[in-house]
Amino acid sequence: MAPRESSSSRPAWASRRVIIAAAAAIALAAAGTATALAAQHSGTHSHAGSVKARLAASSCGGPAGAAYVALPGYQAFDAVDTSNCKLIQQYNVGDRPVPNTGTSDISYDSSEQGVAISGDTLYFADTGNDTVAVINAATLNPDNYANPAETLIHVGFNPQGLAVTPNGSQVWVADTGPQTGQPSLSGISVISTATNKVTSTLRLPTDPREIAFSPSGATAYVTTGAGLLVISTSSHRVVAVIPGLGNPEDAAVSPDGKTVYVTNTAQGVVDVISAATNRVTGAIKVGQMPWQLVLSSDGSTLYVADGDSNAISVISTKSRRVTDTLSDAGDPVSLALTPDGSQLWVGGLTSGIVTVFATANDSLVGSFNVGYGGEANAGDGELPTGIVLTSTPTPGS
């Protein structure tokens, strides 16, 4: 596996995807590999601070609720109390029983990359096992890391991202397919949330990555290697393909449904697309390797994780300009806003640190290491690739 900044001819965006997809192997190689990856990362943001300077979580606090952080490098997820950034428990997820043993032993072989939440229900895209794990967050037991009640749903090859439809009735899963040049094995698995079964499969000619829905739920926007696919959710047909977006990774739709924002990883911009015409109407220059993005509930502010710049770009959607740049060493890739919009939570891929910012003034609230105890280096190799936030406290808070 080639690190992203190696001399390999592999494009940077592809190498990052390999790092994430091979997270289970990284975990088995233990902390030495993770440390090597972190050492080889070279951020370019001139104000990037020291990772060690951000370890203390004593000042970290916010609204009541819970954060659930997907950690494919440890085949687990963290449940965190958002009021004080305290780790309540690190739970295993997506791990299947060992077959043909006559015991209750579990194979700890999961590697969940994506996470979504609807009400109290958590959905994890378990890339390594080609499943989606469904867990009722209200039933989590902080005294037992291995026994949350979960349902495993078999989907397609290498599920990466997933999203719940606005009405909560379906989960769409991006099955990226095997990395063997077989695009015919890529597609979208559609799961009924009522039955936890796959009700249909959409075959795609290219690899899907992340999924975003229009507010009405009538349209799904899917980032792929070929561009942005626009899909009718009623007919399951691709109605448009928007090319030339530079290996897009993530997408977000404005609250009025008129605008779609897409991270262009190759060109270091956010492409702005008109939903009415399915055409690019502008591009906002951000940092290097923009990965995930998240939009404020009123649609006025867009946050973009610029992993290779060790920064987050804060964008005014009205002016289409970057109004602030937040320093965050450790390769920030995952983003989420608290339900009240008061805080932005950021996951560092190579640092294993979650950093919290106040959205009122873009100030640093605090940070903590993922993993047991939150001590320094606790998150080495755990790779926080997804965060969801809810106003409902996790059991044990």
Side-chain angles (χ1 to χ4, degrees):
M1 180 184 68
R4 213 173 47 255
E5 289 76 21
S6 74
S7 59
S8 168
S9 61
R10 184 191 304 275
W13 61 266
S15 295
R16 172 178 284 166
R17 191 163 287 111
V18 169
I19 288 174
I20 296 173
I26 292 175
L28 293 176
T33 300
T35 302
L37 287 174
Q40 291 177 38
H41 177 81
S42 55
T44 59
H45 192 261
S46 60
H47 299 293
S50 164
V51 173
K52 290 185 177 180
R54 295 193 170 185
L55 296 180
S58 58
S59 63
C60 189
Y68 298 101
V69 185
L71 304 172
Y74 197 66
Q75 307 100 50
F77 69 93
D78 278 358
V80 180
D81 184 342
T82 54
S83 70
N84 55 17
C85 298
K86 178 183 177 182
L87 174 68
I88 301 302
Q89 179 58 287
Q90 186 170 70
Y91 296 93
N92 284 103
V93 62
D95 296 314
R96 301 164 295 179
V98 177
N100 304 320
T101 62
T103 72
S104 59
D105 292 343
I106 297 295
S107 296
Y108 295 108
D109 58 356
S110 172
S111 56
E112 77 292 353
Q113 178 176 341
V115 58
I117 191 169
S118 179
D120 287 331
T121 306
L122 290 163
Y123 299 92
F124 292 95
D126 181 5
T127 308
N129 286 338
D130 300 333
T131 62
V132 168
V134 185
I135 298 173
N136 183 348
T139 67
L140 294 175
N141 181 359
D143 295 324
N144 189 337
Y145 71 92
N147 194 33
E150 64 180 309
T151 299
L152 299 181
I153 305 169
H154 183 75
V155 289
F157 286 97
N158 292 346
Q160 172 180 305
L162 74 177
V164 182
T165 55
N167 66 5
S169 66
Q170 295 178 338
V171 179
W172 283 41
V173 186
D175 302 320
T176 61
Q179 297 178 7
T180 56
Q182 299 183 55
S184 62
L185 297 177
S186 302
I188 301 288
S189 294
V190 180
I191 296 172
S192 164
T193 58
T195 64
N196 285 335
K197 295 183 181 298
V198 174
T199 57
S200 58
T201 301
L202 289 65
R203 295 300 178 193
L204 301 178
T206 184
D207 60 316
R209 297 167 184 177
E210 299 292 342
I211 303 166
F213 292 102
S214 63
S216 68
T219 305
Y221 298 93
V222 182
T223 55
T224 76
L228 186 71
L229 304 187
V230 183
I231 300 176
S232 165
T233 57
S234 59
S235 68
H236 290 175
R237 294 184 179 275
V238 177
V239 298
V241 180
I242 305 172
L245 303 181
N247 292 304
E249 179 63 25
D250 200 11
V253 186
S254 62
D256 61 10
K258 295 180 178 180
T259 307
V260 184
Y261 302 94
V262 178
T263 49
N264 182 322
T265 65
Q267 298 171 7
V269 301
V270 172
D271 286 310
V272 184
I273 297 168
S274 165
T277 64
N278 290 325
R279 295 183 180 274
V280 176
T281 60
I284 306 167
K285 183 64 178 176
V286 290
Q288 296 183 43
M289 194 69 70
W291 207 248
Q292 290 186 17
L293 47 72
V294 64
L295 193 60
S296 62
S297 60
D298 64 0
S300 65
T301 307
L302 184 69
Y303 300 89
V304 184
D306 306 320
D308 276 12
S309 293
N310 284 329
I312 298 95
S313 295
V314 184
I315 297 171
S316 164
T317 57
K318 181 178 181 180
S319 66
R320 296 187 180 181
R321 294 181 180 275
V322 175
T323 60
D324 202 355
T325 302
L326 311 181
S327 172
D328 188 22
D331 198 353
V333 296
S334 51
L335 300 173
L337 288 164
T338 52
D340 66 359
S342 66
Q343 290 185 342
L344 174 72
W345 285 49
V346 183
L349 184 69
T350 54
S351 66
I353 294 174
V354 171
T355 307
V356 182
F357 295 93
T359 57
N361 55 13
D362 297 336
S363 63
L364 176 66
V365 173
S367 62
F368 62 92
N369 286 262
V370 298
Y372 280 109
E375 300 92 349
N377 303 320
D380 280 359
E382 299 204 359
L383 310 177
T385 55
I387 304 172
V388 292
L389 294 162
T390 173
S391 57
T392 303
T394 189
S397 293

